[in-house]
Amino acid sequence: MEKNINQRKLRVCVATCNRADYSKLAPIMFGIKAEPDHFVLSVVVIGSHLIDDYGNTYRMIEQDDFDIQARLHTIVRGEDEASMVESVGLALVKLPDVLNRLNPDIIVVHGDRFDALALATSAALMNIRILHIEGGEVSGTIDDSIRHSITKLAHYHVCCTRSAEQHLIAMCEDHARILLAGCPSYDKLLSVKNKDYMSVLKMWLGDDVKNREYIVALQHPVTTNIKHSIKMFEFTLDALLSFNKRTLILFPNIDAGSKEMVRVMRKKGVEHHPNFRAVKHVPFEQFIQLVAHAGCMIGNSSCGVREAGAFGTPVINLGTRQTGRETGENVLHVRDADTQNKIIHALQLQFGKRYPCSKIYGDGNAVPRIVKFLKSISLDEPLQKKFCFPPVKESISQDIDHILETLSALAVDLGGTNLRIGIVSMKGEIIKKYVQPNPKTYEDRIELILKMCIEAAAEAVNLNCRILGVGISTGGRVNPHEGIVLHSTKLIQEWSSVDLRTPLSDTLHLPVWVDNDGNCAALAERKFGQGKGVEDFVTIITGTGIGGGVVHNHELVHGSSFCAGELGHIMVSFDGPECMCGSSGCVEAYASGIALQREAKKLHDEDMLLVEGMTVKNDESVSAIHLIQAAKFGNTKAANILKTAGTALGIGIINILHTINPSLVILSGVLANQYVNVVKDMIRQRGLASIQDVDVVVSNLSDPALLGAASMVLDYTTRRTY
């Protein structure tokens, strides 16, 4: 057990206002309650928790076995702008007595509700430290102003995404007091998806409900434009009625405009419609089961852009309430939802689809980080906040062990012989590598990939690495948009029409990217190698086969049928040796490791391979290495074979240079050094004058396959500002 930095137990008050913030605060409360030697927990309940129309949701706090030290009725009914202001005022009047009685060392406040602003204001004026959960985010409504106001009052910050952390730093908050933990609700939701969900579905939607054959709808008023949000809600209900699917619709929150939205529901007859189930509240654990198995979620709730992404559930986000939120690819935005037809079209596009699981908002380990962060708070530190001017562009909190985690990717290289998995950091460091022989059957191969990935992901936690996603490099033709291997090489059996993304994403709850090994080599060079910063270049892999990737305008070229970069199958002869693709005269038939092994065996069978100083053991297979060794020892026939191979590769590269005119050619793989000079000579001898000065270099990357697989993850998450 860690020793508390303070001499006594830390008195922590958690204040909750509504059903939504309790879903984020409850995991933290359980974490604090589990550490009675370090903390004394008190719970304050205010806001819509105590209103019957909103489900009397304080009861779920009692059902979770938490003692509630104070219940404050702070809502002034009216559901308009003035009543929200009056509710804040009423809370400010009532809170001081409670806070004086409880005398907490720190109060935990969540999010961006007007009730939370009253809590933070009271605590700040009473010199009570404030820990703010989910600050730094951007949504696009009045919530932003409230959220950022609480940030300025708070002493400590727990944020969910790298982007939110950067926003807090830009707002001059002390980076030593910011914890990038992830969303606390993810700790619970990632563990419940695979529980018995059908009983939950039937409870709320009827016995005849089917998995992924229903819609979850949750829409709130936008307080900066109430009339428009009510009109948009009418369009939403009309579209859902027309779409005619089983729908679970939740009542809106207590913001200004909610009464009018409820009137619209009743006017449309939603509560009595056979296809609709209208409810005031669903317990969080059951609600996320409903979201996880829905055919679609629609509305403007933050749950759609946050929690739903963890399950790959299709989401239709309506209007501006969540504008600015980071989202996964499962979210379709209908910013200007001003007609029923637009919403119906969105439903037709999204309903029933599945997307890769996204972990933008958390990895399921937020609460241990938050509890550790609370333990590190010293009551001897000055209470007065310090702001960091000017704004800092990059976080310098890397030396604090409870904040720093190495952002990493899980990289998979699926070769003809071995299956290799690596944990790769943002800087291209392979932190740990795992290698197993590649099984011969599809079932065994998938089973081994899942097993190795699960073990690597578990060990990543011990290595202080946060896995952002999984990248897979594999032989054959790949549809990277769907994560499907379309056609495999002969080296990997039973590996055509294989969906790699779905089983890994479902098992690991991580986004998954898949691409051809040649393309991955090019991506590795673009991010970590000789191609870094180069606008147009080509990478050629020289190994068991010949492959490659083409980068144009800094982007990888896949082609219309994902066949771009199959550089090994450029024909350089009409009557050359047979290639494994079924054609003849391909570059691969001359210059690949398999081609050189074939020629080496021919020489060996004719007793023309070995020269003085060379031996081949009886149990040793003749390989391309023996051919190269023989050439070095003066075997002219071996040297001629290698020259022919290099010439074929050089002619193929000249064809590439004449076609797409890159500024750089990178030779990668075990045979790169063998071929580089021959290729340069061929370009000078046979290329047009305009390409003769093109740079031809050997890759300096030790493991381009793993680095390329990792770069798919790291590039995407960098762009998404994870």
Side-chain angles (χ1 to χ4, degrees), residues 7-52:
Q7 295 300 313
R8 60 173 175 78
K9 297 178 183 180
L10 193 70
R11 296 190 296 269
V12 182
C13 174
V14 178
T16 173
C17 314
N18 54 55
R19 66 190 182 196
D21 79 4
Y22 182 67
S23 69
K24 315 294 178 67
L25 293 170
I28 302 172
M29 292 161 65
F30 281 113
I32 293 170
K33 189 177 181 180
E35 300 264 10
D37 293 337
H38 291 91
F39 304 110
V40 176
L41 174 66
S42 58
V43 180
V44 173
V45 174
I46 68 173
S48 61
H49 272 309
L50 301 166
I51 297 178
D52 181 64

Side-chain angles (χ1 to χ4, degrees), residues 286-582:
Q286 296 176 19
F287 180 65
I288 58 179
Q289 290 277 26
L290 290 161
V291 171
H293 298 280
C296 180
M297 184 174 183
I298 187 170
N300 60 8
S301 167
S302 62
C303 177
V305 298
R306 297 170 68 98
E307 283 83 358
F311 309 113
T313 300
V315 171
I316 299 168
N317 180 49
L318 301 174
T320 60
R321 190 170 183 266
Q322 302 301 334
T323 299
R325 292 269 194 200
E326 298 170 74
T327 67
E329 59 184 283
N330 64 309
V331 180
L332 176 64
H333 297 281
V334 185
R335 305 283 190 209
D336 193 18
D338 55 357
T339 68
Q340 175 184 337
N341 287 339
K342 277 187 185 178
I343 300 172
I344 290 175
H345 184 56
L347 285 164
Q348 291 167 344
L349 288 172
Q350 287 287 78
F351 186 78
K353 290 181 71 173
R354 300 313 289 177
Y355 290 91
C357 300
S358 167
K359 283 191 174 182
I360 294 173
Y361 286 95
D363 62 0
N365 296 298
V367 171
R369 297 184 186 114
I370 294 169
V371 170
K372 189 175 182 181
F373 190 56
L374 281 168
K375 290 178 184 177
S376 74
I377 293 173
S378 172
L379 298 179
D380 295 328
E381 291 180 355
L383 186 62
Q384 178 59 48
K385 280 188 67 170
K386 289 184 180 179
F387 298 99
C388 298
F389 300 99
V392 180
K393 290 185 178 180
E394 294 184 8
S395 169
I396 58 170
S397 59
Q398 344 180 10
D399 294 326
I400 302 175
D401 64 353
H402 61 263
I403 295 177
L404 173 68
E405 287 177 302
T406 304
L407 299 181
S408 309
L410 212 55
V412 180
D413 174 32
L414 212 149
T417 306
N418 290 323
L419 172 60
R420 303 182 311 131
I421 291 179
I423 300 171
V424 182
S425 75
M426 213 39 115
K427 294 180 179 178
E429 176 191 359
I430 300 177
I431 297 168
K432 185 140 188 185
K433 194 186 297 185
Y434 310 81
V435 183
Q436 291 283 352
N438 191 353
K440 300 300 181 186
T441 66
Y442 163 79
E443 290 81 5
D444 291 343
R445 190 175 297 126
I446 287 290
E447 183 180 350
L448 182 60
I449 291 172
L450 291 173
K451 179 175 179 289
M452 292 177 70
C453 284
I454 291 169
E455 291 173 356
E459 189 156 2
V461 176
N462 299 327
L463 295 170
N464 208 31
C465 295
R466 183 179 296 198
I467 302 298
L468 303 178
V470 182
I472 303 175
S473 166
T474 180
R477 189 162 65 94
V478 175
N479 178 344
H481 306 313
E482 302 292 336
I484 294 174
V485 182
L486 300 173
H487 303 293
S488 179
T489 64
K490 291 184 179 179
L491 296 174
I492 309 176
Q493 301 169 15
E494 298 186 19
W495 207 238
S496 295
S497 301
V498 173
D499 179 1
L500 281 177
R501 174 179 289 170
T502 300
L504 266 75
S505 180
D506 287 350
T507 301
L508 299 173
H509 298 291
L510 286 169
V512 177
W513 290 265
V514 187
D515 213 331
N516 166 272
D517 50 7
N519 288 336
C520 285
L523 291 174
E525 297 294 341
R526 184 182 70 177
K527 186 165 185 67
F528 302 114
Q530 305 269 25
K532 195 170 185 179
V534 180
E535 187 173 2
D536 300 288
F537 70 90
V538 174
T539 298
I540 315 288
I541 302 177
T542 60
T544 306
I546 300 288
V550 178
V551 172
H552 177 62
N553 289 336
H554 299 290
E555 295 295 331
L556 186 67
V557 178
H558 283 104
S560 61
S561 59
F562 315 109
C563 211
E566 290 292 347
L567 310 178
H569 300 292
I570 295 174
M571 290 184 63
V572 294
S573 171
F574 288 120
D575 55 357
E578 185 179 349
C579 181
M580 291 185 72
C581 71

